[in-house]
Amino acid sequence: VDPETFKSNQLGHGGVVDKMKELVEKVGIVHHIDIDGDAVVYYPNNTRWCINPLNLGKVNPDECGDVDISGVLEVGDWVKVEADKAKIKRIQEKTGTWDEGYYKAAGMIGRAKVTFPFNEIIRVQIKDSSYPLNL
């Protein structure tokens, strides 16, 4: 669909954010249909979006090539937190959620417990602590 139709169809289906606009006409993979009937689509740029099915069209896989969605994080995935403490602080301060306790997570391996919309923040469980971390 064209960008204006996409935007119109998204009303009542999560709306549209700027990052979605670059994916119009791009190939993604439908992961599942949510309780509201919207498609949760994973894209190769490591994002996932809730899309009104009217905005989707079936494509011939032979014409798309491989669609790598391996970078899209899901609950249960194992992740390694950045080891560079200065970099962690810089990234976390972008959302205003900074705490010195995040340094304990530096270089640690944990499990994604919650993923938030737009796949920009995940909650990671490391030992007995949980950290909301930016990607």
Side-chain angles (χ1 to χ4, degrees), residues 22-106:
E22 64 194 48
L23 297 172
V24 173
E25 299 296 323
K26 300 288 186 204
V27 176
I29 295 176
V30 174
H31 183 265
H32 66 276
I33 304 298
D34 72 10
I35 197 166
D36 299 322
D38 293 325
V40 177
V41 182
Y42 286 13
Y43 288 94
N45 68 347
N46 301 335
T47 60
R48 65 171 168 233
W49 300 100
C50 189
I51 307 283
N52 180 340
L54 293 175
N55 282 330
L56 301 175
K58 192 170 182 175
V59 296
N60 181 344
D62 296 332
E63 296 173 8
C64 312
D66 291 330
V67 179
D68 180 12
I69 58 166
S70 62
V72 178
L73 291 172
E74 295 182 323
V75 170
D77 285 350
W78 288 96
V79 296
K80 183 172 183 179
V81 178
E82 171 66 50
D84 181 336
K85 292 178 179 181
K87 187 173 182 181
I88 292 173
K89 185 174 182 179
R90 223 177 19 258
I91 292 169
Q92 290 301 121
E93 285 179 331
K94 287 180 185 177
T95 62
T97 57
W98 170 249
D99 182 283
E100 295 291 321
Y102 288 169
Y103 284 143
K104 294 180 196 172

